[in-house]
């Protein structure tokens, strides 16, 4: 009986090893054609540190950062906001939570943060968080977790600090302090494409950043003229962050270009598109 059991176990181990080797060989043979949902939705941020997020988390982080910048909040405020959303929701726009908590920051309608529908709007939620943070006297000199706790009043006041380093990496990239720092791999079937994608992309860029004079009628994409290099990378990184949900195919700024096909930034020969502009192209219809 003991011999038979040992033989059975050994046979099972061999089968597992064979299966693992087979999967490895297939992955090596198929390469980029192997469609893995998690890989297809992965974003990497590198700015004096490295952070990996999925597409939904990346889009939410980009909107939180943009709203902070639009309000004129310092970069430290964006770090606090991102660390808070990391802890409260994992940077996801949750439909529920503890008691009546909802949204990115798990704000509660019963505590005066707004209606559930309002709080589920990432822009509304971020604006309410920054407004509350601004009222905290001396928040700029506090630790990230202490500043967040003064707003959130969590039962776990130290929990926010563990996200401080990642939030600083995200803030540096999303606020334009690094070039080509946000890279996302987009799935083969974008959520939107064509004129609808271009129009929605333009509307949301305006809503997040408060830009004026952006043409929403171009069916192929959009072009934005930044005030300086830092603004250019703010918009470029925002566009890549929203690539999956807005059908963005290509983003160019200066001599760097990100493409959905490669999921990374690379240098291009000469200036691509209008000089000094951030240019985004969406996937075509069909």
């Amino acid at each position: 009986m003991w011999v038979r059991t040992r033989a059975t176990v050994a046979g099972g181990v061999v089968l597992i090893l064979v299966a693992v080797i087979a999967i490895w060989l297939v992955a090596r043979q198929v390469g980029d054609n192997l469609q893995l949902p998690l890989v297809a939705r992965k974003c990497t941020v590198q700015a004096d540190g490295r952070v990996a997020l999925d597409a939904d988390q990346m889009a939410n982080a980009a909107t939180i950062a943009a709203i902070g910048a639009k309000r004129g909040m310092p970069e430290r405020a964006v770090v606090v906001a991102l660390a808070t959303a990391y802890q409260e929701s994992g940077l996801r726009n949750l439909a529920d939570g503890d008691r009546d908590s909802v949204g990115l920051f798990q704000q509660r309608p019963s505590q005066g943060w707004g209606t559930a529908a309002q709080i589920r709007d990432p822009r509304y939620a971020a604006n309410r968080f920054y407004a509350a943070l601004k009222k905290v006297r001396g928040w700029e000199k506090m630790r990230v977790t202490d500043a967040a706790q003064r707003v959130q009043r969590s039962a776990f006041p130290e929990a926010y600090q563990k996200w401080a380093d990642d939030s600083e990496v995200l803030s540096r990239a999303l606020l334009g302090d690094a070039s080509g720092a946000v890279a996302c791999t987009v799935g083969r079937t974008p959520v939107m494409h064509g004129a609808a994608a271009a129009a929605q992309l333009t509307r949301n860029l305006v809503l997040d950043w408060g830009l004026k004079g952006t043409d929403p009628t171009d069916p192929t994409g959009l072009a934005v003229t930044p005030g300086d290099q830092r603004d250019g990378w703010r918009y470029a990184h925002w566009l890549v962050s929203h690539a999956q949900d807005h059908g963005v195919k290509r983003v160019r700024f200066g001599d760097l270009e990100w493409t959905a096909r490669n999921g990374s930034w690379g240098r291009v020969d000469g200036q691509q598109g209008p000089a000094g502009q951030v240019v985004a192209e969406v996937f075509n219809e069909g």
Side-chain angles (χ1 to χ4, degrees):
M1 184 69 176
W2 172 245
V3 174
R4 182 178 299 175
T5 301
R6 290 183 61 186
T8 301
V9 171
V13 171
V14 170
L15 288 174
I16 292 172
L17 288 174
V18 169
V20 170
I21 293 171
I23 292 171
W24 179 79
L25 288 173
V26 170
R28 186 175 182 182
Q29 182 69 30
V30 176
D32 292 339
N33 293 324
L34 183 64
Q35 296 197 26
L36 299 174
L38 290 177
V39 174
R41 294 178 62 81
K42 185 176 181 180
C43 295
T44 302
V45 182
Q46 298 194 64
D48 294 331
R50 184 180 184 277
V51 174
L53 301 174
D54 69 23
D56 290 337
Q57 291 173 306
M58 192 71 246
N60 288 327
T63 289
I64 291 171
I67 295 300
K70 184 172 72 169
R71 292 180 64 94
M73 299 294 285
E75 187 167 333
R76 181 70 172 176
V78 175
V79 173
V80 175
L82 288 170
T84 302
Y86 249 128
Q87 172 60 27
E88 296 290 354
S89 68
L91 287 171
R92 301 184 190 283
N93 193 15
L94 301 179
D96 52 27
D98 179 44
R99 286 169 283 189
D100 59 338
S101 300
V102 295
L104 287 168
F105 298 92
Q106 288 291 278
Q107 294 154 331
R108 297 179 61 190
S110 63
Q111 293 185 346
W113 287 98
T115 67
Q118 287 174 322
I119 297 170
R120 286 295 308 284
D121 178 349
R123 297 181 188 90
Y124 175 92
N127 270 304
R128 287 301 308 269
F129 179 86
Y130 286 120
L133 179 64
K134 193 173 183 178
K135 294 178 181 178
V136 176
R137 181 175 298 179
W139 70 266
E140 301 93 336
K141 298 181 180 179
M142 294 179 183
R143 291 188 306 152
V144 167
T145 197
D146 294 334
Q149 172 63 5
R150 291 290 295 274
V151 175
Q152 299 295 109
R153 303 187 182 280
S154 168
F156 305 97
E158 290 293 320
Y160 305 102
Q161 193 63 34
K162 64 177 174 286
W163 303 110
D165 290 345
D166 284 357
S167 297
E168 287 177 359
V169 172
L170 289 174
S171 295
R172 281 192 291 269
L174 294 171
L175 295 180
D177 294 329
S179 302
V182 177
C184 295
T185 302
V186 178
R188 295 176 181 273
T189 305
V191 175
M192 305 183 72
H193 53 263
Q200 188 67 31
L201 186 68
T202 302
R203 281 194 294 269
N204 287 340
L205 182 64
V206 170
L207 286 171
D208 277 13
W209 286 102
L211 300 179
K212 297 180 180 179
T214 305
D215 182 9
T217 62
D218 184 352
T220 64
L222 60 84
V224 181
T225 302
D228 54 27
Q229 187 83 356
R230 190 184 189 210
D231 280 348
W233 282 113
R234 289 180 173 188
Y235 306 148
H237 289 154
W238 184 95
L239 289 163
V240 174
S241 298
H242 285 276
Q244 178 69 35
D245 57 353
H246 286 73
V248 180
K249 181 180 181 180
R250 187 186 314 271
V251 177
R252 301 168 183 165
F253 183 52
D255 62 350
L256 290 177
E257 177 181 82
W258 168 89
T259 62
R261 180 178 182 179
N262 296 327
S264 60
W265 291 88
R267 295 201 175 275
V268 291
D269 295 331
Q271 178 72 46
Q272 301 293 310
Q277 288 192 324
V278 180
V279 179
E281 177 186 351
V282 299
F283 284 93
N284 294 328
E285 300 275 1

